Amino acid sequence: MLLKKLIIAEDDDAIAHLIAAALGDVGYLCMRARDGEEALAMARAQLPDLLVLDVMMPKIDGLEVVRRLKADVLLSRIPVLMLTARSSVEDRVRGLDAGADDYLAKPFDLRELAARVKALVRQSRRERQRNPTTNLPSGDAIDEHVAQLLRTKARFSLCYVDLIGWEAYSDAHGFRRYEQVIEALGRVMIDASRTLGDPPIFVGHVGGDDFLGVCDPARTESFCAAVTSLFESAVPSFCEGPCDPPLSVWVAVVGSDEAPGGEIDDLATRVAAAKRATPR
């Protein structure tokens, strides 16, 4: 498991050493920047999980650093914890208005610093693991959930949901209407999960028009039927009359026993084979 990378932008050697020691002890890889220019250059090169930034910095002060960081489309998602000896309300407001995600006044307790860093990294990680269109878990969040089930040898069904006809629909109606359909399918996945009670069925957005649900085998048939039925009911909300071109969902079910090696790739291969074998 890769260590989370932090940049500590602090010109005071003693303070920087204390921060690096405290955060290194709880599992972070800490890099040091001694002025604002170096902090920006390091952020661009390293894409850290978090920037601990002192306000009073040489060359470029911390407020300008965070403004430039948040104005960059790639770097803007890096959370920033600002540190300062100025603890007035006005100073805190200036830091937050500049784009800082949290603010800690000096002197501070190292335990509180570590707790705030953990919270910011955790929150940022959750945001990055969600699809921006549907707000459903995606990417690593899906992989981690399925991998955990495989590690514990739990029995489950992976229900892979694909939208049929979306390319023709997108060509005919434009990308905005297509985005609305994807949002609707995301809501369908959530509603289908909730209709079957507790424990909740994990649903995720793989990307594009591909979704999945992970549930216990006893509820697989009911979940798939709910997804199909709810999507058919949702079609009139984004089509005036019958959809032209038509839209529908296709669902493939792969059981955990089809991954004898306990690998996610085994399940992905089974899903791909099912998609190839199904007329589109």
Side-chain angles (χ1 to χ4, degrees), residues 1-2 33 61 78 92 131 135 164 205 217 240 260:
M1 185 175 181
L2 294 176
D61 69 26
I78 299 172
R92 292 198 297 272
N131 184 280
N135 202 35
I164 306 299
H205 187 173
E240 297 176 1

Side-chain angles (χ1 to χ4, degrees), residues 3-148:
L3 292 175
K4 297 292 185 295
K5 294 188 296 184
L6 306 183
I7 293 174
I8 301 168
E10 170 61 67
D11 61 321
D12 186 299
D13 291 338
I15 295 176
H17 177 76
L18 282 174
I19 294 172
L23 297 179
D25 285 345
V26 293
Y28 294 104
L29 175 63
C30 299
M31 297 168 285
R32 168 86 182 281
R34 289 173 170 79
D35 59 59
E37 286 184 358
E38 188 178 8
L40 280 171
M42 194 175 289
R44 294 187 182 106
Q46 298 292 336
L47 295 177
D49 295 283
L50 184 133
L51 172 60
V52 179
L53 177 65
D54 188 26
V55 171
M56 304 299 292
M57 294 281 288
K59 297 185 179 180
I60 304 175
D61 69 26
L63 293 176
E64 183 60 24
V65 169
V66 76
R67 288 190 190 100
R68 295 188 190 184
L69 196 76
K70 296 302 183 178
D72 186 295
V73 67
L74 183 60
L75 305 180
S76 61
R77 299 186 72 175
I78 299 172
V80 177
L81 172 60
M82 295 202 78
L83 305 177
T84 183
R86 298 176 176 176
S87 58
S88 70
V89 172
E90 290 77 11
D91 290 316
R92 292 198 297 272
V93 168
R94 276 196 292 271
L96 295 171
D97 282 347
D101 298 277
D102 201 358
Y103 199 100
L104 192 58
K106 299 177 182 177
F108 49 80
D109 188 296
L110 290 173
R111 294 169 299 175
E112 181 181 4
L113 171 69
R116 287 176 182 261
V117 165
K118 286 180 183 178
L120 286 171
V121 170
R122 184 169 59 243
Q123 179 182 352
S124 175
R125 185 166 175 261
R126 286 173 179 167
E127 289 176 356
R128 293 182 186 185
Q129 291 182 343
R130 288 190 176 273
N131 184 280
T133 300
T134 60
N135 202 35
L136 287 174
S138 64
D140 290 342
I142 294 174
D143 289 349
E144 288 173 8
H145 181 79
V146 175
Q148 175 62 21

